[in-house]
Amino acid sequence: MITLKSLIIHSRQSSSVIIGLCIGIAISIIQTPFIEDDCTRFDQFSGKLRDLRSDGTAEEDYEPKLIIDNNYNNENVPKSSKAQKILRPRYYSTELGIREKLLVAVISSKETIGSFGIAINKTLHHHVDKLIFFIDGIGSQKLGLDIPVVGFKDTKPLIKIFRVFSYLSENYINEYDYFLVVSDHTYVNGRKIYDIVQHISISEHVHMGKLMENPESFYCSVDSGIILSHSILQAVISKLNWCTRNTYSETDTDNLGRCILHATDKPCFSSLQGQQYVSYRLRDDAEVESHLQLIGTSSLVREAATVSNVAEASDMYILHKFYLQEELKRVDSSISKARNEISRVRPYSPRKKAEETWPVGSAPAHRPATRFDIIRWDTFNGTHIFYPDDFHNTRPVAGADLLDIMGVVNASILYITKTRGNLEYRGIEYGHRRLDPTRGVDYLLSLIFRDNTSGQTVTRKFEATRPLTEPEMIPMPYVTENTRVTLVLPVIQADIIKATEFINRYEVECMEKGEHTFLLLVLLYSPGTGSGEDSVDEFKMLKDLALKYTRKHHDSGSKIGWMTVHMLQQKPSDFAIMDLVMKKFQEETLILMTKHLAHLSNDFLNRVRMNTILNWQVFSPVPFTQYHPSTVDEKISYQKLDVSRTVGHFDRYNFDHLSFYAGDYVTARSAAAETIPHIRVEGDLKLDRPEEYDFNIYGLFLRVSNLHVLRAAEPSLKLEYQDVDCTNIIKHLSEQQHATCLLQQGSSLGLRSQLSKLILRYLRGEKEQ
């Protein structure tokens, strides 16, 4: 009874749920036919959409497949084609769309390019990013001028201006923001022009210049110069055919103005975004120098961006001098205003302020954090510098030091002459000089004068400074780390063991790592020995090792080869070896002279690639060289060849390593052919006189080449210790070379403290004996 009663109670509580469930099932059964019809209609509509996408061809319904397994491989699934490699531009600026600011196109002629063109180039080229001269009737004929000239073969003066635009569009349309077109009888104030374009937004369509005298004119004069933005030039290029067909005026101003107005509907303006384009026209009979004296104070002249109708090329230099003087006045005025403003606001600065700097507004002097950061003052007088380094007590004041010191002394004399005209300079009592990397060069001078009023000798103290100015980036040619480095290693019989170790290191560092290098062994056979099959080859072990590694790493970027040179009586000079080597390489080959004691690394080879530039620069690394093993106590660091001051030093007297391009060597070698004869074949080795040469290949580039020689410490180039013997070769060296050899010999043994310990040990051992 209890069970039945509880069942009845529970059925009453769930009756509402059961009724709701039944109603839901009934409704779903009733709605099912209608839902199927809607799905059918939607499927038909979607099928039509698929037909439209596939050009009306009938296709089966798409059945999606969900692939969860990443390793799933179904032959029916089409394989995607190999992704194409993205070709990126050579420079970041190309990819980002960064352009230079201003290109100046000068309309010239073959009659005036040698006079007016040279004058414009000298006064303008260092103020703008690019300067090009356009002439007609010459084609590609050489003019013998060191300026960029573009010539047009046909002589059609009416369309010459449009040929200029066509050339600019083909070569420079995407490289510059603004283009200035001007005639060669116009002086261009480069600073003013560049300042104008610097203050105009690059998003603005710029058609700017000096309007013609006609008040209703929309054209600007080409003689006064016309500034066009990148966007305006693009629009003109698109209508260039129309402009050429509708050229009928006698002047470039009308033809160009009509073309720009047709292409852009934008007339010329003399004022834009707060910038005024002012141009001054000289009278036909004006004498420039006297004319400037009369009206030079006029704002129309001082603020002019261009001066047109210049009669003589020499007048360009007079105008340039005038505007340089005006620029100096503006700079001096701005400096004076800045100093006054700094002095005015100084009382309102915080109490805890840095000391007042001199000159006003200059960077404060360096404050050393520790005693190791103290900057040393150099003391000098009129003839010598005292304690110039840790190894010399005095050094004569000569060369760059003399020019530097006398420049400051002359400026001090000029200053006191203006303020005290009765003093006559007699000499330098003493002086101090300090190079502060955060400020510049500071000087303290005590100069001797004669007082012409009293006839007495007096001294005056001066404080001077040569502050650091705005640094300038020097443009360098583009280089990459993909260039193959050809290592040239001369080997004699006594160096076979060390050369074998070098090849083993080369195999590990270059061949196994796939470095793009080539090692050329120059095998120097002793007199009377041969390399043929009938004779015993003293270098057979090296050849076999080179073949073994080359075959082992035939797919890598590194190879090993050799060439044989049979010596006559003595070891040939580096000039003779390189002369024979050059026959095997092209001008674009990057060559690195090396020695068998060197330990190379990937970082060093990359620096060789980046610091050696064809027709521009050679690289002379200063290697880290080990001290004599008897002087070094840290044997573990010595064996590992760690860069440490107790293990070795950077041997600044070592010039054995030098990297250069073959073409640069050939050019420099030809310039020294009269001093050092060329060695073209082995038979010419009899002409080689190593004992008579007072310089090496490093000195060759310094003496007869215009290339820059970069010499810098290279921690990634490490050399094992080798004795420096100056006694056996003293008769072959000049006095200067012998002194250099002695310095290298002394510095190669060890530190002074290490050598002192050896001496004490030796003396202690004698006492014990």
Side-chain angles (χ1 to χ4, degrees):
M1 292 294 293
I2 296 174
T3 304
L4 181 60
K5 184 177 180 180
S6 62
L7 180 61
I8 294 172
I9 294 172
H10 285 292
S11 62
R12 288 177 180 175
Q13 294 176 350
S14 60
S15 60
S16 59
V17 177
I18 296 173
I19 294 172
L21 181 62
C22 294
I23 295 173
I25 294 174
I27 294 174
S28 63
I29 293 174
I30 295 172
Q31 292 290 331
T32 299
F34 299 99
I35 295 175
E36 290 180 354
D37 292 341
D38 292 340
C39 291
T40 303
R41 288 194 295 270
F42 178 77
D43 184 66
Q44 292 175 356
F45 179 71
S46 61
K48 292 180 181 179
L49 291 178
R50 289 195 295 270
D51 291 343
L52 292 174
R53 296 193 200 103
S54 58
D55 298 331
T57 57
E59 293 184 3
E60 297 180 357
D61 291 341
Y62 173 72
E63 297 181 1
K65 297 181 179 179
L66 179 62
I67 301 176
I68 300 177
D69 188 4
N70 293 330
N71 299 322
Y72 176 80
N73 186 12
N74 191 348
E75 296 181 356
N76 297 327
V77 179
K79 297 181 179 180
S80 60
S81 60
K82 187 177 180 180
Q84 295 182 356
K85 184 178 180 180
I86 300 176
L87 298 178
R88 301 194 65 179
R90 192 177 195 181
Y91 303 101
Y92 288 124
S93 58
T94 304
E95 186 171 1
L96 298 176
I98 301 174
R99 296 187 288 262
E100 298 288 345
K101 185 59 66 175
L102 180 62
L103 181 147
V104 178
V106 181
I107 311 300
S108 185
S109 64
K110 59 183 179 181
E111 292 81 12
T112 60
I113 187 67
S115 55
F116 284 91
I118 295 295
I120 292 178
N121 183 69
K122 287 183 177 180
T123 58
L124 182 61
H125 82 279
H126 50 285
H127 294 301
V128 297
D129 299 311
K130 186 74 174 178
L131 178 63
I132 306 177
F133 294 86
F134 294 89
I135 60 177
D136 53 7
I138 192 170
S140 59
Q141 179 182 350
K142 300 295 183 181
L143 294 172
L145 302 176
D146 191 19
I147 58 177
V149 180
V150 176
F152 303 120
K153 292 183 179 180
D154 55 352
T155 56
K156 296 181 179 179
L158 295 183
I159 64 171
K160 177 181 177 181
I161 187 67
F162 300 119
R163 291 192 177 277
V164 171
F165 276 49
S166 178
Y167 178 86
L168 294 177
S169 68
E170 293 174 0
N171 298 276
Y172 302 105
I173 188 65
N174 294 319
E175 297 183 16
Y176 296 90
D177 287 329
Y178 298 100
F179 299 84
L180 172 66
V181 183
V182 68
S183 66
D184 64 349
H185 280 67
T186 301
Y187 169 78
V188 181
N189 188 354
R191 286 187 176 88
K192 184 65 176 179
I193 286 289
Y194 206 85
D195 184 68
I196 290 175
V197 297
Q198 283 278 43
H199 289 82
I200 298 178
S201 173
I202 59 174
S203 61
E204 184 79 14
H205 301 293
V206 179
H207 178 201
M208 193 175 186
K210 181 185 178 182
L211 290 169
M212 300 295 291
E213 298 298 334
N214 184 359
E216 298 181 357
S217 176
F218 297 110
Y219 304 159
C220 284
S221 172
V222 175
D223 292 336
S224 300
I226 301 176
I227 299 177
L228 300 176
S229 64
H230 172 265
S231 57
I232 293 291
L233 184 61
Q234 281 185 323
V236 171
I237 295 304
S238 64
K239 301 294 183 180
L240 209 56
N241 291 333
W242 182 94
C243 298
T244 305
R245 292 194 305 267
N246 290 272
T247 299
Y248 51 81
S249 300
E250 296 296 331
T251 62
D252 290 336
T253 296
D254 292 339
N255 294 328
L256 180 59
R258 186 186 309 108
C259 177
I260 296 175
L261 198 60
H262 171 76
T264 64
D265 291 331
K266 189 175 184 64
C268 188
F269 293 95
S270 295
S271 176
L272 188 64
Q273 294 187 10
Q275 299 300 311
Q276 297 288 335
Y277 190 98
V278 180
S279 180
Y280 181 76
R281 178 178 176 83
L282 292 171
R283 298 197 312 266
D284 294 337
D285 58 346
E287 203 281 320
V288 175
E289 191 165 8
S290 59
H291 189 68
L292 290 175
Q293 293 177 357
L294 292 175
I295 64 169
T297 57
S298 172
S299 60
L300 184 62
V301 178
R302 289 188 292 105
E303 300 298 328
T306 60
V307 179
S308 60
N309 197 31
V310 180
E312 299 292 338
S314 58
D315 294 337
M316 294 280 189
Y317 303 106
I318 298 175
L319 290 166
H320 191 58
K321 178 182 178 181
F322 171 80
Y323 284 103
L324 286 179
Q325 291 174 343
E326 292 296 318
E327 182 66 21
L328 285 176
K329 292 178 183 177
R330 281 193 288 267
V331 171
D332 291 340
S333 177
S334 62
I335 293 175
S336 178
K337 291 179 180 178
R339 285 176 176 172
N340 294 334
E341 183 66 16
I342 292 173
S343 300
R344 186 185 67 82
V345 301
R346 181 174 287 120
Y348 305 101
S349 60
R351 292 183 178 181
K352 294 181 179 181
K353 61 180 180 180
E355 62 178 293
E356 295 183 3
T357 59
W358 184 89
V360 177
S362 62
H366 171 70
R367 290 183 174 272
T370 64
R371 62 187 180 92
F372 301 104
D373 296 333
I374 296 176
I375 302 175
R376 184 174 61 184
W377 286 84
D378 294 330
T379 304
F380 58 89
N381 58 15
T383 58
H384 290 80
I385 299 177
F386 302 100
Y387 300 107
D389 50 50
D390 295 335
F391 306 101
H392 300 87
N393 293 331
T394 61
R395 185 178 68 209
V397 177
D401 290 328
L402 180 61
L403 295 176
D404 178 55
I405 293 173
M406 292 310 300
V408 179
V409 170
N410 292 333
S412 302
I413 296 172
L414 181 62
Y415 173 79
I416 202 169
T417 301
K418 291 180 179 179
T419 57
R420 298 286 299 276
N422 60 331
L423 295 181
E424 183 180 349
Y425 173 72
R426 290 302 188 187
I428 303 175
E429 184 180 17
Y430 63 85
H432 304 284
R433 179 180 63 176
R434 179 182 69 174
L435 175 59
D436 190 334
T438 64
R439 170 182 169 87
V441 186
D442 294 325
Y443 306 85
L444 297 174
L445 299 176
S446 178
L447 303 183
I448 303 173
F449 294 90
R450 180 184 182 274
D451 191 338
N452 294 328
T453 304
S454 62
Q456 296 180 352
T457 300
V458 296
T459 59
R460 292 291 182 267
K461 305 297 189 292
F462 296 88
E463 181 179 1
T465 182
R466 194 193 301 273
L468 292 175
T469 57
E470 184 179 358
E472 180 181 357
M473 297 297 295
I474 300 176
M476 296 291 287
Y478 179 80
V479 292
T480 65
E481 296 181 354
N482 299 325
T483 307
R484 176 187 287 271
V485 178
T486 300
L487 293 86
V488 177
L489 177 66
V491 184
I492 60 176
Q493 185 178 9
D495 299 334
I496 291 180
I497 297 178
K498 290 294 184 181
T500 303
E501 296 176 358
F502 180 89
I503 295 174
N504 291 330
R505 293 195 299 268
Y506 175 80
E507 190 260 344
V508 174
E509 291 293 333
C510 297
M511 306 189 81
E512 289 185 356
K513 296 180 179 179
E515 282 288 329
H516 198 44
T517 58
F518 174 68
L519 174 60
L520 177 64
L521 304 173
V522 183
L523 307 178
L524 303 175
Y525 284 85
S526 303
T529 61
S531 57
E533 297 180 356
D534 299 334
S535 59
V536 179
D537 192 347
E538 57 189 19
F539 293 107
K540 186 177 186 303
M541 180 176 64
L542 291 182
K543 293 180 179 179
D544 293 342
L545 190 62
L547 288 174
K548 172 186 174 182
Y549 286 149
T550 301
R551 291 168 181 169
K552 179 180 177 181
H553 303 281
H554 65 278
D555 293 332
S556 68
S558 298
K559 309 293 180 183
I560 304 178
W562 69 79
M563 65 174 291
T564 59
V565 177
H566 296 83
M567 297 186 293
L568 298 181
Q569 295 180 351
Q570 59 184 349
K571 181 181 177 180
S573 65
D574 290 341
F575 295 106
I577 294 174
M578 294 309 303
D579 288 348
L580 296 175
V581 167
M582 285 302 156
K583 299 187 300 181
K584 298 183 175 294
F585 299 110
Q586 299 178 351
E587 294 184 354
E588 295 79 13
T589 303
L590 174 56
I591 294 177
L592 170 64
M593 296 172 51
T594 186
K595 298 297 181 182
H596 55 274
L597 297 176
H599 289 246
L600 307 178
S601 67
N602 180 27
D603 292 339
F604 169 63
L605 294 177
N606 283 336
R607 271 191 280 275
V608 167
R609 296 183 179 102
M610 300 303 292
N611 294 325
T612 311
I613 306 174
L614 181 63
N615 298 327
W616 191 277
Q617 179 174 281
V618 298
F619 178 46
S620 174
V622 179
F624 179 81
T625 308
Q626 285 185 318
Y627 287 136
H628 193 284
S630 300
T631 64
V632 179
D633 296 331
E634 301 177 5
K635 301 301 180 182
I636 298 178
S637 297
Y638 192 85
Q639 293 176 357
K640 293 181 179 180
L641 239 175
D642 293 338
V643 178
S644 173
R645 64 182 301 270
T646 59
V647 173
H649 71 297
F650 288 100
D651 190 359
R652 56 179 177 173
Y653 304 107
N654 188 306
F655 298 92
D656 293 337
H657 290 79
L658 186 69
S659 62
F660 49 84
Y661 278 90
D664 293 335
Y665 174 84
V666 172
T667 302
R669 190 69 176 83
S670 300
E674 296 182 359
T675 306
I676 304 175
H678 268 296
I679 308 300
R680 294 180 174 83
V681 294
E682 288 186 358
D684 294 338
L685 289 175
K686 59 185 178 181
L687 304 176
D688 188 31
R689 299 288 186 269
E691 67 278 2
E692 298 179 1
Y693 306 151
D694 59 348
F695 59 90
N696 51 16
I697 296 181
Y698 174 82
L700 173 72
F701 285 104
L702 286 179
R703 295 191 179 195
V704 301
S705 175
N706 293 326
L707 299 180
H708 178 248
V709 180
L710 175 62
R711 182 156 174 83
E714 180 50 66
S716 297
L717 175 59
K718 305 173 183 179
L719 300 185
E720 300 175 6
Y721 173 78
Q722 185 179 27
D723 290 332
V724 180
D725 189 5
C726 302
T727 57
N728 296 332
I729 56 176
I730 185 173
K731 60 182 180 179
H732 300 317
L733 295 176
S734 64
E735 183 179 352
Q736 181 180 0
Q737 287 178 310
H738 183 246
T740 303
C741 182
L742 292 177
L743 290 173
Q744 183 181 14
Q745 184 184 54
S747 62
S748 66
L749 298 177
L751 295 172
R752 291 182 178 182
S753 59
Q754 295 171 334
L755 298 177
S756 301
K757 290 180 181 179
L758 285 179
I759 295 174
L760 293 175
R761 291 173 187 172
Y762 176 76
L763 295 176
R764 191 181 303 112
E766 282 191 344
K767 289 181 179 181
E768 292 176 356
Q769 293 177 358

